[in-house]
PDB file of all heavy atoms in Angstrom:
ATOM      1  N   VAL S  12       7.916   4.055  24.375  1.00 95.00           N
ATOM      2  CA  VAL S  12       8.380   3.915  23.028  1.00 95.00           C
ATOM      3  C   VAL S  12       9.235   2.637  22.841  1.00 95.00           C
ATOM      4  O   VAL S  12       9.021   1.880  21.887  1.00 95.00           O
ATOM      5  CB  VAL S  12       9.036   5.136  22.546  1.00 95.00           C
ATOM      6  CG1 VAL S  12       9.749   4.945  21.206  1.00 95.00           C
ATOM      7  CG2 VAL S  12       8.121   6.352  22.431  1.00 95.00           C
ATOM      8  N   PHE S  13      10.131   2.457  23.773  1.00 97.00           N
ATOM      9  CA  PHE S  13      10.922   1.265  23.783  1.00 97.00           C
ATOM     10  C   PHE S  13      10.114   0.042  23.852  1.00 97.00           C
ATOM     11  O   PHE S  13      10.222  -0.964  23.162  1.00 97.00           O
ATOM     12  CB  PHE S  13      11.950   1.317  24.912  1.00 97.00           C
ATOM     13  CG  PHE S  13      12.874   0.136  24.871  1.00 97.00           C
ATOM     14  CD1 PHE S  13      13.853  -0.124  23.999  1.00 97.00           C
ATOM     15  CD2 PHE S  13      12.685  -0.861  25.945  1.00 97.00           C
ATOM     16  CE1 PHE S  13      14.635  -1.180  23.923  1.00 97.00           C
ATOM     17  CE2 PHE S  13      13.444  -1.965  25.918  1.00 97.00           C
ATOM     18  CZ  PHE S  13      14.461  -2.182  24.989  1.00 97.00           C
ATOM     19  N   ALA S  14       9.117   0.014  24.782  1.00 97.00           N
ATOM     20  CA  ALA S  14       8.227  -1.170  24.915  1.00 97.00           C
ATOM     21  C   ALA S  14       7.408  -1.397  23.666  1.00 97.00           C
ATOM     22  O   ALA S  14       7.204  -2.554  23.220  1.00 97.00           O
ATOM     23  CB  ALA S  14       7.337  -0.997  26.123  1.00 97.00           C
ATOM     24  N   ALA S  15       6.965  -0.371  23.041  1.00 97.00           N
ATOM     25  CA  ALA S  15       6.216  -0.453  21.784  1.00 97.00           C
ATOM     26  C   ALA S  15       7.131  -1.089  20.742  1.00 97.00           C
ATOM     27  O   ALA S  15       6.665  -1.964  19.910  1.00 97.00           O
ATOM     28  CB  ALA S  15       5.600   0.787  21.357  1.00 97.00           C
ATOM     29  N   LEU S  16       8.296  -0.612  20.487  1.00 97.00           N
ATOM     30  CA  LEU S  16       9.146  -1.135  19.524  1.00 97.00           C
ATOM     31  C   LEU S  16       9.523  -2.583  19.744  1.00 97.00           C
ATOM     32  O   LEU S  16       9.621  -3.384  18.777  1.00 97.00           O
ATOM     33  CB  LEU S  16      10.452  -0.220  19.388  1.00 97.00           C
ATOM     34  CG  LEU S  16      10.255   1.161  18.926  1.00 97.00           C
ATOM     35  CD1 LEU S  16      11.586   1.972  18.988  1.00 97.00           C
ATOM     36  CD2 LEU S  16       9.846   1.125  17.477  1.00 97.00           C
ATOM     37  N   VAL S  17       9.760  -2.918  21.000  1.00 97.00           N
ATOM     38  CA  VAL S  17      10.097  -4.356  21.253  1.00 97.00           C
ATOM     39  C   VAL S  17       8.821  -5.221  20.941  1.00 97.00           C
ATOM     40  O   VAL S  17       8.996  -6.275  20.416  1.00 97.00           O
ATOM     41  CB  VAL S  17      10.532  -4.462  22.742  1.00 97.00           C
ATOM     42  CG1 VAL S  17      10.578  -6.033  23.171  1.00 97.00           C
ATOM     43  CG2 VAL S  17      11.886  -3.888  22.983  1.00 97.00           C
ATOM     44  N   SER S  18       7.676  -4.820  21.357  1.00 97.00           N
ATOM     45  CA  SER S  18       6.468  -5.485  21.048  1.00 97.00           C
ATOM     46  C   SER S  18       6.242  -5.680  19.561  1.00 97.00           C
ATOM     47  O   SER S  18       5.854  -6.749  19.052  1.00 97.00           O
ATOM     48  CB  SER S  18       5.209  -4.854  21.659  1.00 97.00           C
ATOM     49  OG  SER S  18       5.427  -4.750  23.085  1.00 97.00           O
ATOM     50  N   PHE S  19       6.486  -4.585  18.853  1.00 97.00           N
ATOM     51  CA  PHE S  19       6.350  -4.634  17.364  1.00 97.00           C
ATOM     52  C   PHE S  19       7.365  -5.646  16.756  1.00 97.00           C
ATOM     53  O   PHE S  19       6.962  -6.453  15.899  1.00 97.00           O
ATOM     54  CB  PHE S  19       6.497  -3.280  16.761  1.00 97.00           C
ATOM     55  CG  PHE S  19       6.526  -3.254  15.244  1.00 97.00           C
ATOM     56  CD1 PHE S  19       5.297  -3.290  14.596  1.00 97.00           C
ATOM     57  CD2 PHE S  19       7.663  -3.045  14.532  1.00 97.00           C
ATOM     58  CE1 PHE S  19       5.190  -3.223  13.202  1.00 97.00           C
ATOM     59  CE2 PHE S  19       7.612  -3.014  13.191  1.00 97.00           C
ATOM     60  CZ  PHE S  19       6.397  -3.138  12.555  1.00 97.00           C
ATOM     61  N   ALA S  20       8.596  -5.617  17.196  1.00 97.00           N
ATOM     62  CA  ALA S  20       9.546  -6.520  16.709  1.00 97.00           C
ATOM     63  C   ALA S  20       9.248  -8.001  16.940  1.00 97.00           C
ATOM     64  O   ALA S  20       9.361  -8.854  16.170  1.00 97.00           O
ATOM     65  CB  ALA S  20      10.924  -6.129  17.261  1.00 97.00           C
ATOM     66  N   TRP S  21       8.663  -8.216  18.250  1.00 96.00           N
ATOM     67  CA  TRP S  21       8.159  -9.637  18.565  1.00 96.00           C
ATOM     68  C   TRP S  21       7.198 -10.140  17.601  1.00 96.00           C
ATOM     69  O   TRP S  21       7.288 -11.204  17.116  1.00 96.00           O
ATOM     70  CB  TRP S  21       7.798  -9.534  20.002  1.00 96.00           C
ATOM     71  CG  TRP S  21       7.293 -10.879  20.499  1.00 96.00           C
ATOM     72  CD1 TRP S  21       6.063 -11.262  20.598  1.00 96.00           C
ATOM     73  CD2 TRP S  21       8.100 -11.970  20.833  1.00 96.00           C
ATOM     74  NE1 TRP S  21       5.902 -12.628  21.038  1.00 96.00           N
ATOM     75  CE2 TRP S  21       7.204 -13.023  21.191  1.00 96.00           C
ATOM     76  CE3 TRP S  21       9.427 -12.282  20.922  1.00 96.00           C
ATOM     77  CZ2 TRP S  21       7.677 -14.341  21.622  1.00 96.00           C
ATOM     78  CZ3 TRP S  21       9.859 -13.457  21.342  1.00 96.00           C
ATOM     79  CH2 TRP S  21       8.989 -14.508  21.648  1.00 96.00           C
ATOM     80  N   VAL S  22       6.187  -9.253  17.403  1.00 96.00           N
ATOM     81  CA  VAL S  22       5.030  -9.740  16.536  1.00 96.00           C
ATOM     82  C   VAL S  22       5.491  -9.859  15.099  1.00 96.00           C
ATOM     83  O   VAL S  22       5.186 -10.923  14.470  1.00 96.00           O
ATOM     84  CB  VAL S  22       3.902  -8.660  16.537  1.00 96.00           C
ATOM     85  CG1 VAL S  22       2.790  -8.824  15.518  1.00 96.00           C
ATOM     86  CG2 VAL S  22       3.222  -8.674  17.966  1.00 96.00           C
ATOM     87  N   ILE S  23       6.344  -9.040  14.612  1.00 97.00           N
ATOM     88  CA  ILE S  23       6.847  -9.075  13.149  1.00 97.00           C
ATOM     89  C   ILE S  23       7.659 -10.378  13.074  1.00 97.00           C
ATOM     90  O   ILE S  23       7.698 -11.005  12.099  1.00 97.00           O
ATOM     91  CB  ILE S  23       7.559  -7.797  12.777  1.00 97.00           C
ATOM     92  CG1 ILE S  23       6.595  -6.705  12.628  1.00 97.00           C
ATOM     93  CG2 ILE S  23       8.328  -8.082  11.444  1.00 97.00           C
ATOM     94  CD1 ILE S  23       5.511  -6.859  11.619  1.00 97.00           C
TER      95      ILE S  23
END
Side-chain angles (χ1 to χ4, degrees):
V12 168
F13 179 74
L16 290 173
V17 169
S18 299
F19 176 75
W21 177 260
V22 170
I23 291 299

